[in-house]
Amino acid sequence: MAYTLDVKDRALALRRSGSSIREIARTLGISPGTASVWLSSVRLSKHAQQVLKSKQIIGQYKSMLVKQVKKESRQLDLEMRVQKQLETFKLNEVNAKLLCSILYWTEGGRQAGSLVTFMNSDPEMVVTFLKLMRFSFELDERKFRSTLHIHTYHKDDEIKKFWSDTTGIPIAQFTKSYQKQNTQRRKREGYMGCIRVRYYDVRVARELKAYYNVFSRVMI
């Protein structure tokens, strides 16, 4: 298809102003291949190069947002399906102990004897473990002890209050925090350190161990 000189001149002007090949093709109603041939010899000024670079960055950002929205939408759909599947699930002492034992198996110390230890930095996981444990067993809350693993940039009192409010364990039952060395090169925003929760009861420790031992041998 033949094009007028006016169309070619407009293409050249748009290119020199910082428009991309695709933008020019779309604006003038020509194919990207034709636009590429016409504009192959055009030398872009620094200003035009900066404009194109800015558009590329914006395009990448928009693409990232689209992907993020799609990802969140898929996750929401999945969670809604799972929620529907769990509508008939009723938490009882047995399955609560099993869930608690699996968390303990993966994130706990599993020492022999009377000590139950659970350590994590994720507040939701810590809360879930403690809720299951409190639901499953008759506990003496005075037997809980907690130790924080924090960095030098943390304020000990603030972090202790956060974890005390989160776990329901009084600050008086927190031992001296363990301070990890930090090079100050990287500070994790929103990171509240790591908590180690301990509960002293041989009955609870042995039963949790029995649950994950039997489950791993018999149920899988």
Side-chain angles (χ1 to χ4, degrees):
M1 179 178 178
Y3 295 96
T4 65
L5 289 175
D6 179 59
V7 175
K8 294 182 179 180
D9 288 341
R10 287 176 62 194
L12 291 169
L14 288 169
R15 184 59 171 169
R16 292 189 179 108
S17 68
S19 294
S20 69
I21 299 295
R22 289 186 178 277
E23 287 176 322
I24 294 169
R26 187 168 55 249
T27 301
L28 300 180
I30 62 179
S31 71
T34 299
S36 180
V37 171
W38 287 356
L39 305 171
S40 59
S41 62
V42 176
R43 297 188 64 180
L44 297 174
S45 65
K46 288 185 178 181
H47 173 71
Q49 291 176 25
Q50 290 174 349
V51 171
L52 281 171
K53 186 175 181 180
S54 297
K55 288 180 179 179
Q56 182 181 22
I57 293 172
I58 292 172
Q60 290 173 345
Y61 178 68
K62 287 181 178 179
S63 176
M64 181 188 70
L65 287 180
V66 169
K67 290 179 181 178
Q68 183 65 26
V69 169
K70 288 182 179 179
K71 180 180 178 181
E72 291 176 356
S73 178
R74 288 195 298 268
Q75 182 64 27
L76 180 60
D77 288 342
L78 178 59
E79 289 183 7
M80 290 178 67
R81 291 201 301 272
V82 171
Q83 182 175 338
K84 190 171 183 179
Q85 293 170 355
L86 291 178
E87 284 178 355
T88 57
F89 177 79
K90 300 298 182 184
L91 193 67
N92 56 44
E93 183 178 317
V94 173
N95 56 40
K97 283 182 178 179
L98 177 60
L99 292 171
C100 185
S101 73
I102 291 172
L103 284 176
Y104 178 57
W105 190 11
T106 56
E107 298 295 330
R110 304 190 301 281
Q111 293 98 333
S114 60
L115 180 62
V116 176
T117 303
F118 188 85
M119 184 171 181
N120 207 275
S121 62
D122 183 351
E124 289 187 2
M125 182 175 287
V126 175
V127 167
T128 299
F129 175 77
L130 289 174
K131 282 183 176 180
L132 289 169
M133 189 172 170
R134 284 166 170 149
F135 182 91
S136 306
F137 301 95
E138 292 183 9
L139 303 178
D140 181 351
E141 294 288 328
R142 296 171 299 178
K143 292 183 178 181
F144 277 112
R145 294 292 183 273
S146 296
T147 303
L148 299 181
H149 291 236
I150 59 177
H151 288 296
T152 52
Y153 59 77
H154 283 127
K155 294 182 180 179
D156 188 60
D157 290 344
E158 291 182 5
I159 304 298
K160 277 183 179 176
K161 184 179 185 310
F162 168 80
W163 281 110
S164 177
D165 292 342
T166 299
T167 62
I169 300 173
I171 291 179
Q173 291 171 219
F174 279 64
T175 60
K176 183 179 179 181
S177 299
Y178 172 77
Q179 193 173 80
K180 298 183 286 186
Q181 293 300 314
N182 183 267
T183 61
Q184 301 297 329
R185 293 179 181 177
R186 186 172 69 118
K187 182 178 179 180
R188 293 169 58 183
E189 293 298 330
Y191 176 63
M192 303 302 287
C194 192
I195 186 171
R196 181 188 294 272
V197 177
R198 301 183 302 282
Y199 186 80
Y200 295 85
D201 191 313
V202 64
R203 174 182 57 90
V204 175
R206 287 176 178 173
E207 193 163 353
L208 285 175
K209 184 177 181 180
Y211 263 89
Y212 69 71
N213 278 344
V214 173
F215 180 76
S216 63
R217 289 198 309 265
V218 178
M219 304 299 295
I220 299 179

